C-alpha cells in the first residue's frame, strides 16, 4: 500500500484555513509580500497545527490545546481604543508608546510626534501599501523550517509597527510597543513588527501584551530585530495577557559584528502561551544575553523556546531562565545553543531554574547544546526544586510569617534576571510587576 | 513563675531518640549555660525551642511565660519574645540584609499590636546597634549573610537579637568559628543585652565563651538530658576533666 497519509483536520485547523482563505484577497501589499503570505498559508494548510510528535512543540501540543479558532478581530474603533487604553500593563514606564490594538497600529494612542533624530516609525499597513524599503525587509529573518505560529502570523501579515534607528543614533528614552486586546467576545489578532537598528546605534525597546481577563482571545505576534554592527540593543518583553487568552509569539533576531544584544522576557499572563526566540550571531565578537522570568499560577501553561545560533567566531552568550510555578501551572523552557562550524572561540552558558510552589505544578527544563566547532566553551545547568525549608525556618524564627517569608524568597529567586536589566525605569517596572504577582498570591 | 520551663522532654528525628527526659527551668534575668559533647542533643534542643518542624515530640512539655510553647508556630514564638541565634546562620541570596531586618522587626511589632517603625527610626536604630557590634554599614547593604565571614555571620545574629529585643535568647554555639577578637565583640554584644527582664540559654562546647559571658547556672548535658547542674565553677571543672565522666554516668 502506498496511500498518502492525510492528517485529520481539527475544527481549529479547519477554521484557520477558512480564515486564511477569506483574508487572502483583502490583505494589502505588493507581489513580494503576497508571495510571502501565500507560501506561509500553503505551509500551514499542508502541515497544520503542531502536536506532541513535533519535537519543538512536544510540550505545547497546539492541536490539543487549541480547540477552536475564533474569527479575525474587526478593525478597532474609538470604543475599542478607550477599552484598550486602560489595559497598558506598564502605565508608569517613561517611554515613547506605540500602541497596537487587536494587531492594528493606532496613531491616536501612539507618541509619534517629534521623533528623535535618526528614528523612523512607520505602521506596517502603510509600508505594505507603499511597498517601501521596510516592506521588503519583512521576512528576511524567517527560518527555513516550518513553524506553525510564524507561518500563521505571516499568512495574516497586515499591520504592526516598523522602527528604524539610523546608524549612530542613540535613543534618549525607551520605545514601548504596547500590544492590547479589546472586545468582549473571543477573536483572533495578528501583528508583525520589525526593528532595524543601525551600526553603532543604541536603543532600549520594551514590548508588552495585555488584554481583558475573561475573554478567550487568541493573539499571534511576531517581531524581527535586525541589530547592526557595534549596536547596543536591549529588548524587554512583558507578556501579561488576560487569563483566558492564547498567546503565540515569535521573536527573530540577527546581530552584527561586536553588537551587544540583551533580551529580557517576562511571562505572567495567558491561559496558554508560547514564546519562541531565534537569535543568530551574524557577525564576529557579538555578545548576547537572555535573562527571563516566568511567573505562573492557576492552570496556566507557558512555553519559552529559545534557539541560539552561534555562526561566527568569538561570540559570547549568557542565558538565564527562572520560573516560579504555583498551583497546577506548567512552565516549559526549551533552550538550544547551536555552535556552527567556524564559530570558534564561542563562549556560551545556559542556566535554567524552576521554583515549584505547589506539588501539582509542573516544570519542563530542556537545555540542549549542539556544537560543530572544536575550540569553544559551552555549558548548561538546570535545576528545579521547592522553597528551601531551612531558609524558610530562618525567616520564621525571626517572626516573619510564612506567606511573607515565601514572598521574599520567591522574589529573590525571580528578581535575579530582572535585576540585570540595565535601563533603570524598565528594570523597576518589571520588578514591580513581579511584586504585584507575589502580592496576588493567595 | 519561671520564664521557661521544660519538663521531661522526649524528642526524636526519623525514629532516632535525641532528647530523653530533658528538664530545664530558666528564671527571668538569668543566664544559663548548657555544655555538652557533640551529639548530646544541644542543637536539637535549640531547634525544638524555636519551633523547627523536623522533630517529633513524644513526651513532655515546654512552657514559655506560662504558655504552651510547643503549640505555637515559630513566627509566633519569635513574636512572644523567643530568639534563637543560629549555629549556622543561613545565607539568603537576593534578600537585602536591611529588608530582612526591617521585615522581621515590623512583623514582630505587628503581632504585638505595635505600629511599624518609620524608615528614619529604623535606620537610626540599625546604625546604632551595628556600630556597637563593629558591623560595617556596607555589610548591611549586601544580601543576608552572603559573602559574610563566620564572625560576621555571628555578629549579624547578635544584631538581629539586639533589634528584636527578645525575652529569652537561645545562643546555639555562637562561639564556634570565632577568633578571640570576634568572640569578645560577640560576648560584649550579648552582655549589653543582659537585663533583669531578659534571660539567656547559652549552648556551647567550651568554657572559653563563659569567661566572657558569665553564667548564673551551668548545666551539663549528655545523651539528651541534663546530667548535672551547678554554678560557673562547674564549667571550669568540665574544662579540666572533660565530658567522659558524665557520658559514662548516663
Amino acid at each position: 500500500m502506498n496511500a498518502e497519509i492525510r492528517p485529520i483536520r481539527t475544527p481549529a485547523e479547519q477554521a484557520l484555513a477558512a480564515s486564511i482563505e477569506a483574508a487572502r484577497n483583502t490583505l494589502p501589499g505588493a507581489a513580494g509580500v503576497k508571495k510571502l503570505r501565500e507560501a506561509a498559508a500553503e505551509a500551514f494548510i499542508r502541515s497544520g497545527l503542531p502536536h506532541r510528535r513535533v519535537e519543538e512543540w512536544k510540550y505545547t501540543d497546539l492541536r490539543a490545546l487549541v480547540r477552536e479558532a475564533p474569527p479575525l478581530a474587526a478593525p478597532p474603533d474609538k470604543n475599542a481604543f478607550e477599552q484598550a487604553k486602560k489595559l497598558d500593563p506598564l502605565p508608569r514606564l517613561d517611554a515613547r508608546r506605540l500602541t497596537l490594538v487587536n494587531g492594528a497600529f493606532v496613531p491616536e494612542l501612539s507618541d509619534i510626534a517629534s521623533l528623535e533624530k535618526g528614528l523612523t516609525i512607520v505602521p506596517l499597513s502603510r509600508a505594505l501599501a507603499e511597498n517601501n524599503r521596510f516592506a521588503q525587509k519583512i521576512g528576511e529573518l524567517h527560518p527555513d523550517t516550518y513553524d506553525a505560529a510564524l507561518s500563521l502570523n505571516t499568512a495574516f501579515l497586515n499591520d504592526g509597527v516598523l522602527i528604524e534607528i539610523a546608524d549612530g543614533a542613540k535613543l534618549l528614552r525607551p520605545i514601548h510597543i504596547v500590544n492590547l486586546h479589546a472586545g468582549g467576545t473571543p477573536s483572533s489578532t495578528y501583528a508583525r513588527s520589525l526593528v532595524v537598528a543601525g551600526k553603532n546605534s543604541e536603543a532600549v525597546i520594551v514590548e508588552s501584551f495585555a488584554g481583558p481577563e475573561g475573554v478567550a482571545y487568541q493573539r499571534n505576534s511576531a517581531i524581527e530585530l535586525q541589530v547592526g554592527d557595534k549596536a547596543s540593543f536591549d529588548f524587554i518583553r512583558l507578556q501579561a495577557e488576560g487569563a483566558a487568552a492564547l498567546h503565540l509569539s515569535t521573536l527573530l533576531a540577527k546581530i552584527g559584528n561586536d553588537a551587544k544584544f540583551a533580551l529580557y522576557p517576562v511571562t505572567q499572563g495567558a491561559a496558554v502561551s508560547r514564546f519562541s526566540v531565534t537569535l543568530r550571531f551574524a557577525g564576529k565578537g557579538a555578545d548576547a544575553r537572555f535573562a527571563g522570568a516566568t511567573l505562573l499560577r492557576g492552570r496556566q501553561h507557558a512555553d519559552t523556546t529559545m534557539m541560539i545560533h552561534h555562526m561566527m567566531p568569538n561570540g559570547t552568550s549568557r542565558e538565564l531562565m527562572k520560573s516560579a510555578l504555583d498551583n497546577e501551572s506548567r512552565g516549559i523552557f526549551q533552550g538550544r545553543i547551536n555552535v556552527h562550524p567556524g564559530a570558534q572561540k564561542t563562549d556560551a552558558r545556559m542556566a535554567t531554574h524552576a521554583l515549584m510552589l505547589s506539588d501539582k505544578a509542573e516544570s519542563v527544563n530542556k537545555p540542549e547544546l549542539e556544537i560543530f566547532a572544536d575550540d569553544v566553551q559551552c555549558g548548561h545547568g538546570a535545576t528545579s526544586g521547592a522553597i528551601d525549608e531551612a531558609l524558610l525556618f530562618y525567616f520564621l524564627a525571626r517572626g516573619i510569617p510564612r506567606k511573607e517569608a515565601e514572598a521574599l524568597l520567591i522574589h529573590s529567586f525571580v528578581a535575579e534576571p530582572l535585576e540585570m536589566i540595565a535601563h533603570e525605569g524598565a528594570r523597576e517596572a518589571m520588578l514591580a510587576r513581579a511584586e504585584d504577582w507575589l502580592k496576588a498570591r493567595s | 513563675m519561671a520564664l521557661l520551663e521544660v519538663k521531661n522532654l522526649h524528642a526524636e528525628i526519623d525514629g532516632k531518640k535525641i532528647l530523653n527526659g530533658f528538664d530545664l527551668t530558666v528564671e527571668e534575668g538569668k543566664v544559663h549555660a548548657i555544655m555538652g559533647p557533640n551529639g548530646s542533643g544541644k542543637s536539637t534542643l535549640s531547634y525544638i525551642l524555636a519551633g523547627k518542624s523536623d522533630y517529633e515530640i513524644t513526651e513532655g512539655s515546654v512552657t514559655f511565660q506560662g504558655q504552651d510553647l510547643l503549640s505555637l508556630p515559630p513566627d509566633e514564638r519569635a513574636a512572644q519574645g523567643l530568639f534563637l541565634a543560629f549555629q549556622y546562620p543561613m545565607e539568603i541570596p537576593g534578600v537585602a540584609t536591611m529588608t530582612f531586618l526591617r521585615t522581621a522587626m515590623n512583623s514582630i511589632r505587628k503581632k504585638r499590636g505595635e505600629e511599624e517603625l518609620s524608615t528614619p527610626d529604623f535606620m537610626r536604630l540599625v546604625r546604632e546597634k551595628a556600630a556597637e557590634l563593629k558591623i560595617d554599614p556596607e555589610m548591611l547593604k549586601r544580601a543576608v549573610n552572603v559573602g559574610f565571614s563566620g564572625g560576621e555571620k555571628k555578629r549579624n545574629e547578635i544584631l538581629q537579637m539586639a533589634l528584636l529585643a527578645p525575652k529569652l535568647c537561645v545562643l546555639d554555639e555562637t562561639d564556634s568559628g570565632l577568633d578571640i577578637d570576634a568572640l569578645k565583640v560577640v560576648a560584649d554584644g550579648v552582655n549589653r543585652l543582659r537585663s533583669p527582664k531578659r534571660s539567656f540559654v547559652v549552648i556551647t562546647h567550651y568554657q572559653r565563651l563563659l569567661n566572657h559571658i558569665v553564667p548564673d547556672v551551668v548545666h551539663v548535658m549528655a545523651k539528651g538530658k541534663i546530667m548535672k547542674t551547678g554554678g560557673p565553677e562547674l564549667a571550669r571543672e568540665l574544662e579540666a576533666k572533660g565530658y567522659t565522666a558524665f557520658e559514662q554516668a548516663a
Side-chain angles (χ1 to χ4, degrees):
Chain A
M1 288 284 286
N2 212 358
E4 192 181 329
I5 297 166
R6 284 193 170 277
I8 299 160
R9 294 281 171 234
T10 66
E13 286 172 329
Q14 286 170 13
L16 284 165
S19 204
I20 290 172
E21 199 51 51
R24 207 164 219 157
N25 297 314
T26 66
L27 298 174
V33 163
K34 281 199 193 311
K35 209 175 138 200
L36 197 65
R37 271 199 298 251
E38 284 298 322
E42 272 172 35
F44 176 77
I45 288 164
R46 199 167 50 238
S47 304
L49 291 171
H51 45 81
R52 63 195 154 77
R53 289 189 304 280
V54 177
E55 185 59 25
E56 293 80 9
W57 291 85
K58 184 173 174 179
Y59 303 101
T60 301
D61 180 343
L62 283 190
R63 219 175 264 183
L65 288 166
V66 182
R67 294 282 176 192
E68 46 201 295
L72 278 180
D77 54 14
K78 283 259 176 306
N79 189 22
F81 298 170
E82 284 309 308
Q83 278 181 39
K85 226 163 67 177
K86 299 178 194 122
L87 296 169
D88 182 343
L90 299 167
R92 284 184 301 278
L93 179 70
D94 177 21
R96 179 184 294 283
R97 280 185 169 65
L98 305 176
T99 305
L100 278 71
V101 175
N102 297 353
F105 181 77
V106 182
E108 292 92 325
L109 299 180
S110 298
D111 179 7
I112 41 175
S114 59
L115 295 182
E116 290 154 84
K117 198 167 168 282
L119 175 62
T120 311
I121 293 169
V122 183
L124 174 63
S125 55
R126 203 178 86 203
L128 292 180
E130 294 171 358
N131 190 29
N132 64 18
R133 62 195 165 85
F134 274 135
Q136 288 152 22
K137 279 190 167 300
I138 290 285
E140 276 186 2
L141 302 188
H142 282 193
D144 302 333
T145 48
Y146 171 70
D147 180 90
L150 182 61
S151 291
L152 277 173
N153 183 280
T154 308
F156 289 102
L157 207 134
N158 180 17
D159 205 357
V161 63
L162 308 177
I163 299 166
E164 186 181 52
I165 302 147
D167 289 354
K170 292 174 174 33
L171 295 189
L172 297 173
R173 59 180 184 144
I175 291 173
H176 179 191
I177 307 171
V178 195
N179 291 276
L180 302 172
H181 190 95
T185 52
S187 62
S188 301
T189 69
Y190 295 86
R192 170 64 69 98
S193 296
L194 166 72
V195 184
V196 180
K199 286 176 189 163
N200 289 302
S201 65
E202 279 178 24
V204 175
I205 296 193
V206 179
E207 187 187 32
S208 68
F209 300 89
E213 277 308 313
V215 185
Y217 62 93
Q218 298 188 357
R219 190 196 307 276
N220 184 322
S221 174
I223 190 163
E224 293 175 71
L225 309 175
Q226 299 198 14
V227 179
D229 294 347
K230 294 187 176 158
S232 167
F233 193 91
D234 286 3
F235 193 88
I236 299 126
R237 180 182 191 275
L238 171 67
Q239 191 270 85
E241 301 277 23
L246 169 76
H247 173 99
L248 299 175
S249 179
T250 309
L251 184 149
L252 305 168
K254 181 181 91 172
I255 61 176
N257 290 308
D258 300 309
K260 285 178 98 64
F261 175 77
L263 171 62
Y264 304 97
V266 175
T267 298
Q268 55 178 208
V272 173
S273 71
R274 155 98 164 186
F275 175 47
S276 161
V277 179
T278 304
L279 168 62
R280 282 167 204 279
F281 281 67
K284 288 176 293 193
D287 179 275
R289 167 183 279 171
F290 175 106
T294 293
L295 305 165
L296 303 178
R297 62 166 51 106
R299 299 178 62 101
Q300 283 181 291
H301 170 115
D303 175 335
T304 300
T305 294
M306 180 203 77
M307 173 87 86
I308 293 190
H309 292 284
H310 278 279
M311 308 172 78
M312 299 290 275
N314 297 97
T316 305
S317 73
R318 292 287 179 271
E319 294 78 27
L320 172 67
M321 183 70 202
K322 291 225 170 162
S323 311
L325 308 173
D326 207 350
N327 310 122
E328 295 172 53
S329 65
R330 193 159 190 247
I332 294 130
F333 177 72
Q334 306 186 95
R336 187 184 177 106
I337 298 175
N338 287 328
V339 181
H340 292 246
Q344 299 294 7
K345 304 281 182 197
T346 290
D347 177 356
R349 309 273 157 89
M350 170 165 54
T352 163
H353 306 290
L355 182 63
M356 314 300 289
L357 301 174
S358 140
D359 292 343
K360 289 184 178 159
E362 191 183 337
S363 152
V364 177
N365 274 330
K366 196 176 90 179
E368 293 176 285
L369 298 175
E370 193 168 69
I371 302 169
F372 290 106
D374 55 11
D375 184 14
V376 301
Q377 286 195 49
C378 283
H380 69 69
T383 63
S384 61
I387 289 182
D388 185 338
E389 281 295 321
L391 278 187
L392 204 54
F393 178 65
Y394 192 60
F395 283 82
L396 296 174
R398 295 299 173 254
I400 301 171
R402 179 170 281 265
K403 273 267 136 349
E404 221 168 314
E406 285 183 356
L408 281 168
L409 284 170
I410 299 166
H411 183 266
S412 73
F413 175 82
V414 299
E416 190 189 354
L418 308 180
E419 301 272 8
M420 293 177 181
I421 300 172
H423 186 273
E424 189 184 348
R427 180 176 66 242
E428 295 302 325
M430 298 311 246
L431 284 166
R433 289 291 313 196
E435 266 170 44
D436 288 345
W437 185 88
L438 284 169
K439 278 188 200 134
R441 195 172 169 249
S442 53
Chain B
M1 184 187 68
L3 180 69
L4 177 77
E5 197 140 55
V6 183
K7 278 189 184 154
N8 190 32
L9 194 62
H10 290 254
E12 54 186 58
I13 186 165
D14 301 329
K16 190 176 172 241
K17 288 192 170 171
I18 314 268
L19 297 185
N20 294 299
F22 183 91
D23 291 291
L24 177 70
T25 302
V26 178
E27 303 288 340
E28 214 171 43
K30 298 291 183 208
V31 175
H32 287 241
I34 298 180
M35 301 183 70
N38 285 327
S40 56
K42 302 190 302 297
S43 286
T44 296
L45 173 72
S46 71
Y47 281 143
I48 286 174
L49 291 178
K52 203 167 194 218
S53 58
D54 307 8
Y55 305 93
E56 199 193 335
I57 314 289
T58 52
E59 214 182 321
S61 66
V62 181
T63 323
F64 181 59
Q65 301 174 100
Q67 233 188 344
D68 173 20
L69 187 72
L70 299 177
S71 64
L72 298 176
D75 52 324
E76 202 52 52
R77 297 183 194 195
Q80 302 278 338
L82 186 110
F83 183 91
L84 168 65
F86 283 65
Q87 182 180 2
Y88 302 110
M90 288 291 166
E91 294 186 9
I92 313 172
V95 178
T97 304
M98 282 303 218
T99 307
F100 181 74
L101 294 176
R102 189 158 184 194
T103 310
M105 283 192 79
N106 283 334
S107 299
I108 285 182
R109 292 177 75 93
K110 211 163 130 190
K111 284 196 188 110
R112 289 176 183 164
E114 296 166 16
E115 266 188 45
E116 294 197 352
L117 271 181
S118 72
T119 305
D121 285 349
F122 167 75
M123 297 297 282
R124 197 173 332 108
L125 193 64
V126 172
R127 269 200 295 268
E128 181 194 313
K129 302 288 180 197
E132 285 177 1
L133 287 158
K134 300 191 169 60
I135 291 174
D136 182 352
E138 282 303 307
M139 244 172 70
L140 301 173
K141 292 182 187 163
R142 288 193 256 152
V144 180
N145 291 326
V146 176
F148 287 24
S149 70
E152 286 170 335
K153 283 180 185 169
K154 295 298 172 76
R155 269 186 274 170
N156 192 23
E157 292 292 288
I158 305 304
L159 172 65
Q160 292 172 36
M161 194 164 94
L163 290 171
L164 299 181
K167 295 191 182 103
L168 176 67
C169 309
V170 180
L171 279 64
D172 187 10
E173 300 202 18
T174 296
D175 51 338
S176 68
L178 291 187
D179 61 40
I180 197 73
D181 295 324
L183 182 75
K184 224 179 136 357
V185 172
V186 165
D188 287 349
V190 171
N191 287 330
R192 253 192 304 276
L193 294 173
R194 285 179 81 154
S195 94
K197 289 270 168 211
R198 183 173 290 138
S199 311
F200 292 82
V201 173
V202 181
I203 293 172
T204 181
H205 273 295
Y206 305 108
Q207 194 248 336
R208 192 178 63 162
L209 178 67
L210 305 181
N211 289 336
H212 299 281
I213 305 171
V214 180
D216 299 300
V217 188
V218 174
H219 308 274
V220 182
M221 182 173 183
K223 298 189 179 166
K225 59 200 265 190
I226 299 288
M227 307 303 296
K228 191 171 180 182
T229 295
E233 74 288 347
L234 181 58
R236 287 191 287 276
E237 187 190 325
L238 269 175
E239 192 77 357
K241 294 188 185 159
Y243 290 116
T244 327
F246 296 99
E247 283 185 299
Q248 279 161 358

